[in-house]
Amino acid sequence: MNVFELTRALIDIESITNNEEAVGAFLLEYLTPLAARFGGRVEPIEVEPRRFNIFAQWGERLTVTLSTHMDTVPPFFISREDEEHIWGRGACDTKGIIAAMIKAVEAMLEAGERDFGLLFVVGEERTSAGAYRAAKTPRGSRYIVNGEPTGNRLALGSKGSLRYEVVATGKMAHSAYPELGDSAIHKLIDALADMRRMPLPVDPLLGPSTLNIGTLSGGRAPNVVADEARADIMIRLVTDSAETKAALARVAEGRVELREVIEIPALRLNSLDGIETTVVAFTTDIPAFGGQWGEPFLIGPGSIHVAHTLEERVPKQQLVEAVQIYRRMVKHLCKRESK
């Protein structure tokens, strides 16, 4: 399969987070003959039952690892293509990236190049479970090239994320006599409104920190004063989280409970000569790897602006370019390490 065909084959395997088994099996079957033919090895690394990472290596030294995630967000929809794009769930986030990385590896192997690997992980869209598992089983990689849609530009930095569940409790009453109750919904929306008004840090490179209220639920019925309510909020971090956490705690005190779900720090990343750069606002698996897979770089074809949407697509030209970019990066980093 060429890079377009492989991208479509991967897209057409539904792999919404927690259901990555089928795409993992496909990649294992695809890479096993490649490993056998060129003296490499490929293995599944269990994360939890029916969920596993895929790792492959060629050469005695693991200098560079090309890595991205296998899971996607819902809803699933199959691939299609036109002259300029391949469409479908995961087209840019990140089935096209997987295909480009594999095709780069195939080209390098045919040219006699070695000392690199592939690492495809589960769970990035939720908790980075696969990357955290990989961090516990490092293989000595000196550099990791993480694939996310950056328009084939190296990201100099990426925002972090801080996620909370905000919980309010109250007392039920008949809505005709609200003074007999205590509305959890009113508490919650008042606290959320104050959170939205909080000043948040700004970084010269990464820009402003932002807050999003992603989900909101609660109450029993229109004619009942609500005794419970909750919301999920996500803050995109651009600096250390201490100041933001303290501000949230002040707003929440005596009104709502804050339950921290996950924190991923903001990142500063490196560049390479000859490759355009950018800055991204999304978070990645890189912090979860904890440095255990080497110095990180972040780059991939496609635009994050269409990821997670019903218009998700990846430009064919960028897929072709990504194959060459990944190959050039691996060659450059291997040469750097050999000095």
Side-chain angles (χ1 to χ4, degrees):
M1 288 186 279
N2 62 35
V3 69
F4 303 149
E5 293 166 338
L6 183 53
T7 296
R8 291 196 63 177
L10 289 164
I11 291 170
D12 289 339
I13 303 171
E14 189 266 288
S15 60
I16 293 169
T17 309
N18 295 320
N19 193 38
E20 304 99 338
E21 184 180 25
V23 74
F26 174 91
L27 290 167
L28 188 63
E29 182 178 2
Y30 188 98
L31 293 173
T32 296
L34 197 63
R37 180 183 171 195
F38 292 100
R41 58 190 178 90
V42 59
E43 61 179 300
I45 301 173
E46 186 178 58
V47 176
E48 56 188 51
R50 305 190 69 172
R51 300 182 76 200
F52 50 88
N53 297 335
I54 298 291
F55 172 67
Q57 179 178 341
W58 291 267
E60 294 183 4
R61 299 176 62 192
L62 182 58
T63 302
V64 185
T65 302
L66 298 174
S67 178
T68 191
H69 59 94
M70 297 181 279
D71 63 315
T72 68
V73 299
F76 168 71
F77 53 99
I78 63 171
S79 68
R80 63 182 176 88
E81 65 179 293
D82 54 33
E83 290 187 4
E84 296 184 359
H85 296 90
I86 294 176
W87 304 68
R89 176 57 75 226
C92 66
D93 190 19
T94 58
K95 301 296 182 68
I97 292 172
I98 293 174
M101 287 180 169
I102 289 174
K103 288 300 166 181
V105 162
E106 289 178 354
M108 289 186 288
L109 292 172
E110 292 285 356
E113 300 168 37
R114 298 293 187 275
D115 296 342
F116 49 78
L118 291 167
L119 176 64
F120 301 130
V121 301
V122 300
E124 188 271 348
E125 298 291 2
R126 292 281 186 87
T127 62
S128 291
Y132 281 114
R133 176 68 177 89
K136 296 178 180 178
T137 54
R139 304 303 171 90
S141 182
R142 302 304 300 271
Y143 303 96
I144 185 166
V145 179
N146 190 239
E148 291 286 351
T150 67
N152 281 339
R153 292 176 291 174
L154 273 170
L156 296 177
S158 66
K159 292 184 180 182
S161 64
L162 179 63
R163 180 181 163 194
Y164 280 101
E165 184 180 32
V166 186
V167 180
T169 57
K171 179 183 177 182
M172 280 192 290
H174 195 293
S175 65
Y177 302 93
E179 68 277 8
L180 300 179
D182 182 21
S183 175
I185 288 178
H186 292 179
K187 286 182 183 177
L188 181 63
I189 61 176
D190 288 347
L192 292 174
D194 288 343
M195 289 176 185
R196 291 188 64 207
R197 286 190 286 266
M198 290 187 327
L200 294 171
V202 178
D203 179 81
L205 176 67
L206 298 178
S209 185
T210 58
L211 183 150
N212 180 61
I213 302 169
T215 69
L216 189 62
S217 62
R220 308 286 177 170
N223 59 348
V224 178
V225 174
D227 63 325
E228 56 84 26
R230 63 192 62 229
D232 288 297
I233 65 171
M234 175 80 80
I235 295 171
R236 297 292 176 174
L237 298 171
V238 298
T239 60
D240 179 83
S241 65
E243 179 184 344
T244 300
K245 286 183 173 181
L248 285 168
R250 288 193 294 271
V251 171
E253 187 175 6
R255 306 161 76 186
V256 294
E257 178 187 358
L258 290 174
R259 298 175 182 173
E260 184 175 329
V261 178
I262 190 171
E263 178 181 350
I264 300 174
L267 286 177
R268 300 295 191 278
L269 298 165
N270 293 325
S271 62
L272 289 176
D273 290 343
I275 302 179
E276 290 185 60
T277 60
T278 188
V279 174
V280 298
F282 55 83
T283 56
T284 73
D285 271 332
I286 290 174
F289 286 118
Q292 297 302 306
W293 284 76
E295 180 182 333
F297 295 86
L298 179 63
I299 189 170
S303 169
I304 197 67
H305 296 158
V306 296
H308 299 196
T309 75
L310 296 179
E311 301 298 315
E312 185 170 356
R313 60 194 181 274
V314 63
K316 289 181 175 180
Q317 183 60 36
Q318 287 191 20
L319 284 175
V320 173
E321 292 168 354
V323 174
Q324 298 308 315
I325 289 170
Y326 289 137
R327 184 175 180 183
R328 180 157 36 115
M329 290 183 69
V330 171
K331 187 174 183 177
H332 177 90
L333 293 169
C334 284
K335 185 177 180 180
R336 176 195 287 183
E337 198 61 26
S338 67
K339 291 181 179 179

